[in-house]
Amino acid sequence: MTMTARDGIGTLTEKEKQTLRLIVRGHDAKSTARSLNLSVHTINERLRDARRKMAVSSSREAARILFEAEGERSAPPTPELSGDTQIGEDAPSSAPDQDEAPGKGVGPAVRRPAMLIGVLVMTLALALLALLAMPHSAPPVPPPADSAKAPNAAVVDTARNWLALLDQSRWDDSYRLTGKAFRKVNSVQMWTAASNTARVPLGGMVSRVLESQQYFPAPPEGYQVVKFRTAFANKAEAIETVTLEQEDGGWRIVAVTID
C-alpha cells in the first residue's frame, strides 16, 4: 500500500467504506446498489470519490487496500451471480466503473426511501444530492490541495450565500446560480420539487459554521468543496457540503448534500 493510498483511507466517509467493503466481497455496482437500496448512479459516485481520495484507478484496488488496512484476514466469500435489474432511472448501458466483480448481497439491506430525478437524488433521510457531472473516462482525481492554508473567502462566501437562498426557499434564485453541468440534467421545476421534499422539512436555519474548504485539482479547472456544520429547527446537527466549479469568471454550484 502506498503512503498516498494509506492517507486516503482516513478521508473516506463511512458510506464510501461501506460500499468498498461490499465490492471486496464480490459485488459489482448494481448488486451493491440493490443491497443498500440505492441507485447505481449513487454507488458509482461513491466509488469515484473513493478512488479519487485514495489516488487509485480501480475500485477493486481501493477495496483491497481498505480490506488490508482494516486487518481482515479471511478471503471474501465466493459470489453467486444473480440477474441485474434497472434501478431508478439509471440507464443499463451506463457503467462508469467496470472493474468490480459480480456478487450477491451480504447481510440485510438498509432500507431508505429515495426519489431519483435525472441525476438529482433526494432521500427522505434528509440527504440532498445534486450529482457532479464528470467524464467517466477521466483519470483519477489527485488528492486535495493543502487544506491547512486559509480558506478562499470568495468560494466560502458564494457557498454560504447560496445556502441562504435555500433557507428562504428561493428555489428559482438558487437554480440560477448553479453551473451548466447541473442545469443540463435538472430543470428548475425538478429542482423546486426536490428541494421542497428534502429541504423544507428541516425547518429554519439556526446556525451555520464553516467546517472546511478544500480545492481538488480535477479537470477541467478543478473544483472547490465547502462544508458547514449547521443547526436547523428540526435537525440539531447537520453537515452541508457544497461543491463549486469556476465558470464564466465566477463560482457556480454543481452539487449540494445535507447529511
Side-chain angles (χ1 to χ4, degrees), residues 33-46:
R34 284 200 307 271
S35 296
L36 299 179
N37 196 34
L38 298 171
S39 72
V40 176
H41 217 129
T42 298
I43 295 302
N44 281 326
E45 284 297 298
R46 288 187 184 179

Side-chain angles (χ1 to χ4, degrees), residues 243-254:
T243 303
L244 308 90
E245 282 187 330
Q246 200 157 29
E247 187 177 298
D248 299 329
W251 292 102
R252 294 282 178 167
I253 283 73
V254 293

Side-chain angles (χ1 to χ4, degrees), residues 2 4 44-45 51 54 62 70 81 86 99 102 110 121 124 157 159 167 184 198 201 204 212-213 219 221 225 253:
T2 66
T4 299
N44 281 326
E45 284 297 298
R51 294 194 303 271
M54 299 175 69
E70 291 184 334
L81 298 178
Q86 184 174 350
D99 203 292
V110 178
V121 179
L124 298 185
D157 288 346
D167 296 337
K184 182 178 180 180
S212 65
Q213 179 254 319
E221 297 183 15
V225 176
I253 283 73

